[in-house]
Amino acid sequence: MQFTIKAAAPEKLGADTLVFAAFPDQNKPALQKNQPAATRAMDAHLGGKLSVLIERGALKMAAGSLCELHGFDEHNTCTRIVLVSLGKHAEFGERALREALRTSARALADSVGKTALYALTALELDRLPGRDAAWLMQQAACALANATYRYDSGKAKTDKTDEPPKGIARITLLATRAAPALPRAVEQGQAIAEGMALARQLGDMPANRCTPTHLAETAQALGKEFGFKVQVLKRKEMEGLGMGALLSVARGSHQPPKFIILHYQGAKDAGQKPVVLVGKGVTFDSGGISLKPGEAMDEMRFDMCGAASVLGAMRAAARLALPINVVGLIPATENLPGGNASKPGDVVTSLSGQTIEILNTDAEGRLLLCDALTYAERFQPECVIDIATLTGAIIIALGKIPSGLMANDDELARALIDCGQYSGDRVWQMPLWPEYQELLDSNFADMANIGGRFAGPITAASFLARFTKAYRWAHLDIAGTAWLTGTSKGATGRPVPLLVEFLLRRAAQVKAARPVRKTSARNARA
Ligand code: BES
Ligand code: MN
Ligand code: ZN
């Protein structure tokens, strides 16, 4: 999908499909001053036909509702107009706007025709504090590109339908005025969508194909494509390091575990401290000897979505050539029962030296992550963020709307909350107070790997907190947000938008810090 930004009168820009937004309740007597300026211009050009239709109730009140008009415009080449509802004018806000972006993007992804003019990117934003035209460009480009995602099963394409191929190839994004920030914003939106597509593709891939080895090969291919270093540690090397917790999970599986390390070095200054992203990569979680019930167990193929989001975010960082350093760590394994599998009551020694009593082999994510988090220390990180489909309890607590956030540093937590708001990929913080730690007491080791019935997401994070004392750390529990169930079952690509926004802000920070030195050096020479 190719985007062009145009700041011009919309009625002068022809395309196969025109997409305009409108408030269904601002129709009398004609399209009034409250309607978006671009929509008013188009309406005037069409002799008020749009306002007549809206007045007749053709556009529904719910934000995101669509109304299609065909063969409408005899003055230019357009054959089709898609009107998108912005909802009740008085209730307009970010939620309505996101809904309109989402449904219109979907409509374009399912459209026939080659070109489209998209007018939602020229919407007035005065009622959305803190949001500007660049933000809207980024969000729209991301939504439009993300809507074109199709799971690639890799199977031979045999279906010979007579239908013309779907999906618009070229989209003109309408802008109120040209600004240098806009092309970069579109590029960012595309990079985020491509990162999401990678994460979704890996999540959707069945567990017999998306193995730890496949994750490692994907990381290596990414490193090759974008020119960064990728290391893959095998079982022997992990044994040598002493990753006893990670390896205890891999015992029941015939698939070899992998510890994947991605080094993206975008900073000029090689000594710049990296952001370390750690992603849970359980390519299938049966629960192990503490076997899960059968219902919906197939969804445990998505238990590597943390790993997938690390790959997606790092792809976006590399594609945008962000001037920062990012290290990705992916402990990858299956969790299966077997004659050699870990058993409830087994005690293992983690890379940190702390011992763990495995009371439930289904609490395996934290066993992988604790060794990866200890390994992260060697990079002297700016901060560490782990991303994991860690607990079913986070879905009970928060549903499938925000990801759970817990952190040992309030400033980092605050930053992630802000990034979530801005990107629309939201998080909700839960407490990580020391009082919870005693729930992990064990009679036979330094800690147990489960904390009982109470506060599941917090005891899981409290376990991880014992391995993250050396740096600023945040934990994202994405068990509720990484995939959808039911008829729309599939990976969402979250939290790639959140992570990329976090990396974009770090890049802006280091950029803001750098020119000071540059300018003074130039002045000194002059
Ligand atoms: N991968 C699961 C978490 C999960 C469960 C995500 C259901 C999405 C839906 C994780 O490894 C797990 O099994 N967690 C256990 C922890 C418990 C044994 C303390 C859980 O949530 O039941
Ligand atoms: Mn589990
Ligand atoms: Zn799991």
Side-chain angles (χ1 to χ4, degrees), residues 223-240:
K224 225 183 195 150
E225 184 179 353
F226 291 96
F228 60 80
K229 195 174 92 191
V230 175
Q231 283 168 275
V232 177
L233 307 187
K234 302 200 180 79
R235 193 195 301 268
K236 271 260 138 29
E237 293 151 290
M238 291 185 254
E239 273 165 10

Side-chain angles (χ1 to χ4, degrees), residues 376-398:
E377 278 181 29
R378 67 173 63 200
F379 300 105
Q380 294 175 320
E382 164 67 21
C383 64
V384 177
I385 304 172
D386 81 73
I387 306 103
T389 49
L390 205 59
T391 66
I394 197 75
I395 317 175
I396 307 300
L398 301 176

Side-chain angles (χ1 to χ4, degrees), residues 2-26:
Q2 189 194 315
F3 294 113
T4 320
I5 301 168
K6 285 223 171 100
E11 67 278 12
K12 306 243 161 69
L13 302 170
D16 299 334
T17 300
L18 310 179
V19 187
F20 284 86
F23 293 103
D25 62 351
Q26 303 296 310

Side-chain angles (χ1 to χ4, degrees), residues 240-521:
L241 285 165
M243 295 182 158
L246 196 173
L247 289 168
S248 76
V249 179
R251 296 178 65 93
S253 167
H254 292 282
Q255 288 291 336
K258 306 283 176 189
F259 190 82
I260 307 162
I261 309 155
L262 303 95
H263 305 262
Y264 170 70
Q265 299 243 307
K268 294 239 163 53
D269 167 14
Q272 187 199 91
K273 288 181 160 195
V275 172
V276 178
L277 303 176
V278 181
K280 172 179 172 181
V282 175
T283 57
F284 190 78
D285 180 12
S286 71
I289 295 296
S290 312
L291 194 65
K292 286 180 180 297
E295 193 189 325
M297 205 207 265
D298 67 291
E299 291 184 18
M300 284 300 114
R301 73 158 92 177
F302 295 114
D303 213 18
M304 35 51 70
C305 282
S309 74
V310 170
L311 294 172
M314 290 191 70
R315 188 191 191 284
R319 158 119 152 52
L320 294 167
L322 298 186
I324 54 173
N325 295 333
V326 185
V327 172
L329 298 179
I330 297 175
T333 177
E334 290 184 328
N335 183 25
L336 293 184
N340 207 28
S342 292
K343 303 163 290 295
D346 284 1
V347 172
V348 298
T349 304
S350 67
L351 178 59
S352 74
Q354 300 177 87
T355 57
I356 303 162
E357 184 187 14
I358 302 174
L359 285 177
N360 188 322
T361 64
D362 198 11
E364 86 295 343
R366 60 200 79 181
L367 297 173
L368 260 65
L369 291 170
C370 71
D371 281 350
L373 288 167
T374 301
Y375 192 86
E377 278 181 29
R378 67 173 63 200
F379 300 105
Q380 294 175 320
E382 164 67 21
C383 64
V384 177
I385 304 172
D386 81 73
I387 306 103
T389 49
L390 205 59
T391 66
I394 197 75
I395 317 175
I396 307 300
L398 301 176
K400 295 181 84 69
I401 312 299
S403 302
L405 164 68
M406 283 145 272
N408 67 7
D409 182 281
D410 284 339
E411 204 185 315
L412 178 59
R414 188 73 250 157
L416 283 164
I417 292 167
D418 286 348
C419 290
Q421 292 286 353
Y422 190 87
S423 63
D425 189 359
R426 289 176 294 179
V427 298
W428 191 260
Q429 191 176 9
M430 290 184 164
L432 196 60
W433 294 321
E435 286 85 341
Y436 289 103
Q437 286 293 346
E438 66 188 47
L439 294 170
L440 295 168
D441 285 350
S442 157
N443 289 349
F444 301 101
D446 292 328
M447 71 197 86
N449 78 327
I450 53 168
R453 274 170 27 82
F454 294 165
I458 299 177
T459 53
S462 299
F463 179 97
L464 300 179
R466 296 180 179 220
F467 301 84
T468 60
K469 294 192 173 139
Y471 45 71
R472 306 196 306 143
W473 160 73
H475 159 64
L476 298 170
D477 194 334
I478 60 164
T481 51
W483 73 91
L484 301 174
T485 51
T487 48
S488 44
K489 192 194 289 185
T492 59
R494 291 177 70 183
V496 169
L498 168 74
L499 296 173
V500 177
E501 180 57 29
F502 184 84
L503 297 178
L504 282 169
R505 287 187 188 194
R506 170 135 177 89
Q509 266 170 15
V510 300
K511 258 188 196 154
R514 212 173 343 113
V516 180
R517 286 205 303 270
K518 266 197 182 162
T519 336
S520 55

Side-chain angles (χ1 to χ4, degrees), residues 109-113 161-168:
D110 292 338
S111 288
V112 293
T161 59
D162 297 331
E163 306 285 341
K166 284 182 176 169
I168 306 264

